Amino acid sequence: MDAQGRGRADDIDPADQWVLNPTTGEYELRLTPSAPQSPVPGPRRSAPRSGGGGGSAGGATRNRSAAPGRTAPAEAPGRDVPPPRRRRGAPEEPLPGRRNRRPVKKKSKAKKAVVWTGGVMAFVLIGTAGAAYLYLKHLEGNVTTEDVGSVADSGFSKDEAFNILIIGTDRRTGSGNEGYGDKGSVGHADTNILLHVSKDRTNATAMSIPRDLIVDVPDCEGKDGAVIPGTQNKRFNTSLGQYGRNPGCTMKTVEELTGIDVNHFAMADFNAVKTLTSAVGGVEVCLAKDVNDPDSHLNLSAGKHTIEGEEALAFVRTRHSFGNQGDLDRIKVQQQFMSSLMRQMTSGDTLTSPTKLIKLANAATKALTVDKGIGKASTLKDVALELKKVPMKNLTFTTVPVKDNPAEVVKATVVPLEPNASQVFNMIKSDTSFTAVKAKEKKEKAAVAARLKGTKSAADEVRVRILNGGAPGGSAQEELTYLQTEAGVTKSENAGNADKTQTKTTLEYAPDQADQARRLAAIMGLSGSALKPGESVTNAQGLPTMTLTLGEDFKGAGVKMNSSAAPANVDKTTANEVKCAS
């Protein structure tokens, strides 16, 4: 209750209302009694004077019962309790019917300071929380969203693996960007990275998709809801901007290419690189040689440099300074740059600097266009916090495995390199870490050795026919070639397509072919559930033969079905690695 409203604020120090309870050793709030009120009708009694028969004030306090529902603290033995403080001119004993004021032990100035400091700190915390709330609302105003309908998820889950497609366009939007990109471009998907964050947050994969990759762009909805017809055998970058396609079209193109469900997108223009690098105070890059590129305006000597703003944009845009001066080598440089940017963003210098954090949050929210599912600053903060849980050493940068387009005489585009590309896609789809493959490979080898223990059949004794029951076209012949030329299974044959499709690859065998089945299972990495005891068929030589049916889970010729390892010739780096662009 308000002290001033009770008429007792003049001479009472608020700190004195905190009383030491000798039983608990803690200070407790004890409100003092009210000041005398106006007389009430009826006979008045004089209050006993100090030292009269009524006993001392201290004694009266010790003997008086506590108010209902409260327990009066016991006094420490042998300790004199000082009389209660009273206002000047007030009666020494309370009026009849009023409770005695409890004794108050006066606290030291140090104790009072603790009480007041605690109050100030609480006020500061409340003020900070309010400021954080207001700043979050300010950031909400920075975020630009684009509705891509049901292609993107309606919300963000902290408990599941998630995939975000990061798109960099070649539009000349933003101040000072008039001289960059293609003049009059509708905003093609110039830089594309599918970021996968594992469910347990132990690892993440950032897979670059070359803009010159030949793909089929599916039908999709434009901004007005009208269906934009798809195209076949076109560059990936046409999945955005061309014919009015929005980021949802690019998401659908990635899904058809990889089989991976894309949850959200984040799109940025040239300004993103400039503002983000300036917000963190610059990004350190390393060059293996001197570079002077008149097209991107990058002019740096060999060695390490800290770059930001226009210079950082020139670094990620240069195409003619490294490798074979093509887009694939530019992707490698961009991955090195992003690794350095992420290291800087998560460094102590950034995380412990409120100024840098505020600049970074402001720059990031202004630079991005995202889907409505993550279109709030608070949700973007949640995404960032989940990504922050991933150790930098377990964040892998890789690129879709590709080869030159065989349909071209002058090589300008690329196509997926199989089975490598499918292996990479399957690793992401199955939430498999690119950085934990060595331990898993060792475990797989031990499992193969255990399966082969006691197996008498050699590879050249295995008789099997191969059916395609859901794998990509030509898979049966490709697997046959691998088994005969690489694995030594010479008694194998292609039996064409199965009568129906199936999701899982199976191997059916007769009881007397169990050894052959175990040998082939070890070669292909088939699990125990893939082995189906049953009947054999007769091959062209009249001999009993097993039946291998390749299902939709088939990973490619020569790729073990239980393999979690990345293909040997897939380029990959981790975010903690420092490399020099060459």
Side-chain angles (χ1 to χ4, degrees):
M1 188 174 288
D2 182 24
Q4 194 166 357
R6 293 276 301 269
R8 53 182 173 85
D10 297 339
D11 300 318
I12 298 176
D13 186 342
D16 286 335
Q17 294 179 316
W18 290 84
V19 182
L20 177 67
N21 185 334
T23 302
T24 64
E26 301 287 342
Y27 280 89
E28 299 175 353
L29 181 63
R30 294 287 186 266
L31 294 177
T32 56
S34 300
Q37 304 296 310
S38 301
V40 294
R44 296 180 60 186
R45 288 188 299 171
S46 298
R49 295 182 179 276
S50 177
S56 70
T61 302
R62 283 193 298 271
N63 294 331
R64 192 172 299 277
S65 299
R70 287 190 186 174
T71 302
E75 297 293 338
R79 180 177 295 177
D80 291 329
V81 180
R85 296 177 56 158
R86 57 186 175 86
R87 294 178 59 196
R88 203 174 283 112
E92 294 177 343
E93 288 289 336
L95 294 172
R98 304 300 298 268
R99 287 188 305 173
N100 254 355
R101 130 191 297 163
R102 292 189 182 278
V104 178
K105 181 177 176 63
K106 191 172 183 179
K107 293 194 294 184
S108 68
K109 291 183 178 179
K111 295 287 185 183
K112 292 181 183 180
V114 171
V115 174
W116 284 110
T117 303
V120 171
M121 285 304 297
F123 178 79
V124 170
L125 289 174
I126 293 171
T128 303
Y133 172 78
L134 291 176
Y135 191 71
L136 195 62
K137 298 303 290 182
H138 159 73
L139 294 178
E140 296 282 8
N142 289 345
V143 182
T144 302
T145 62
E146 186 162 347
D147 188 359
V148 294
S150 60
V151 181
D153 292 356
S154 59
F156 174 71
S157 173
K158 298 180 183 179
D159 302 318
E160 299 295 334
F162 61 91
N163 302 302
I164 297 180
L165 180 62
I166 302 170
I167 307 171
T169 73
D170 59 359
R171 293 188 66 181
R172 299 182 176 194
T173 54
S175 175
N177 297 326
E178 297 82 5
Y180 300 137
D182 296 330
K183 186 175 182 179
S185 172
V186 294
H188 291 122
D190 197 49
T191 299
N192 311 278
I193 298 174
L194 181 63
L195 175 64
H196 169 80
V197 180
S198 68
K199 182 175 181 178
D200 60 8
R201 308 301 189 247
T202 61
N203 65 91
T205 303
M207 181 183 70
S208 294
I209 303 173
R211 68 178 187 179
D212 296 327
L213 178 67
I214 295 299
V215 296
D216 292 339
V217 180
D219 296 348
C220 59
E221 290 187 5
K223 293 181 179 179
D224 57 358
V227 175
I228 302 172
T231 53
Q232 287 70 48
N233 296 319
K234 298 296 182 182
R235 279 181 167 88
F236 181 89
N237 68 343
T238 62
S239 64
L240 179 68
Q242 199 81 3
Y243 311 119
R245 291 174 178 141
N246 62 19
C249 300
T250 310
M251 293 172 68
K252 289 189 69 174
T253 303
V254 172
E255 291 179 343
E256 285 215 356
L257 170 68
T258 65
I260 299 167
D261 180 33
V262 183
N263 306 109
H264 303 284
F265 83 87
M267 185 167 61
D269 58 18
F270 291 137
N271 272 351
V273 175
K274 295 194 291 187
T275 56
L276 288 175
T277 53
S278 296
V280 297
V283 174
E284 185 179 271
V285 296
C286 179
L287 283 73
K289 61 180 182 180
D290 295 345
V291 171
N292 187 1
D293 181 4
D295 292 329
S296 69
H297 310 297
L298 180 66
N299 188 358
L300 291 174
S301 60
K304 293 182 179 180
H305 299 270
T306 298
I307 60 176
E308 63 176 278
E310 295 285 349
E311 198 168 37
L313 179 59
F315 183 85
V316 298
R317 289 190 64 250
T318 184
R319 292 186 60 184
H320 308 297
S321 304
F322 307 111
N324 63 7
Q325 301 186 12
D327 191 52
L328 295 178
D329 287 293
R330 182 175 69 160
I331 286 175
K332 293 179 182 178
V333 173
Q334 289 174 345
Q335 290 174 348
Q336 293 168 13
F337 176 84
M338 288 187 64
S339 295
S340 182
L341 175 60
M342 295 193 74
R343 289 195 299 271
Q344 182 63 30
M345 288 171 66
T346 57
S347 69
D349 288 345
T350 300
L351 295 178
T352 58
S353 169
T355 302
K356 284 186 179 180
L357 285 175
I358 289 174
K359 284 184 178 179
L360 183 58
N362 205 41
T365 49
K366 282 185 175 180
L368 298 176
T369 297
V370 298
D371 60 271
K372 289 187 175 295
I374 54 173
K376 292 185 177 180
S378 56
T379 308
L380 288 174
K381 176 205 67 176
D382 291 340
V383 173
L385 290 177
E386 293 304 304
L387 180 58
K388 184 177 177 292
K389 295 177 182 178
V390 179
M392 288 293 101
K393 65 179 182 179
N394 291 341
L395 171 54
T396 303
F397 286 91
T398 189
T399 305
V400 174
V402 295
K403 63 180 181 181
D404 288 335
N405 187 353
E408 295 176 333
V409 177
V410 178
K411 305 302 180 184
T413 61
V414 293
V415 296
L417 174 65
E418 295 296 357
N420 304 46
S422 292
Q423 285 181 263
V424 171
F425 301 156
N426 285 331
M427 288 183 68
I428 295 175
K429 187 161 51 175
S430 61
D431 201 23
T432 301
S433 170
F434 278 71
T435 53
V437 293
K438 289 184 178 180
K440 291 186 177 181
E441 284 176 346
K442 186 176 180 181
K443 185 177 180 180
E444 288 163 6
K445 288 180 180 178
V448 170
R451 285 199 298 269
L452 289 177
K453 189 175 182 180
T455 301
K456 299 176 182 179
S457 294
D460 60 0
E461 295 174 342
V462 173
R463 293 187 300 274
V464 62
R465 66 169 188 159
I466 306 171
L467 296 173
N468 189 335
S475 293
Q477 184 58 44
E478 291 171 1
E479 182 66 9
L480 175 67
T481 301
Y482 166 76
L483 290 176
Q484 290 184 338
T485 60
E486 302 291 334
V489 184
T490 55
K491 298 175 182 177
S492 51
E493 60 187 45
N494 182 358
N497 293 326
D499 294 335
K500 58 182 180 179
T501 61
Q502 57 189 53
T503 57
K504 301 292 185 182
T505 297
T506 59
L507 176 62
E508 184 177 358
Y509 61 96
D512 60 349
Q513 296 172 314
D515 272 353
Q516 292 185 38
R518 284 196 292 270
R519 174 62 64 177
L520 186 60
I523 292 171
M524 294 188 61
L526 296 173
S527 64
S529 62
L531 303 183
K532 305 294 184 183
E535 298 180 354
S536 63
V537 296
T538 302
N539 65 7
Q541 289 76 38
L543 298 172
T545 303
M546 299 183 296
T547 299
L548 173 67
T549 304
L550 306 179
E552 293 174 347
D553 64 339
F554 181 67
K555 297 183 176 183
V559 182
K560 290 185 180 297
M561 298 297 296
N562 61 355
S563 175
S564 60
N569 59 345
V570 171
D571 289 331
K572 59 183 186 294
T573 60
T574 51
N576 65 316
E577 296 181 56
V578 179
K579 292 188 174 184
C580 293
S582 59

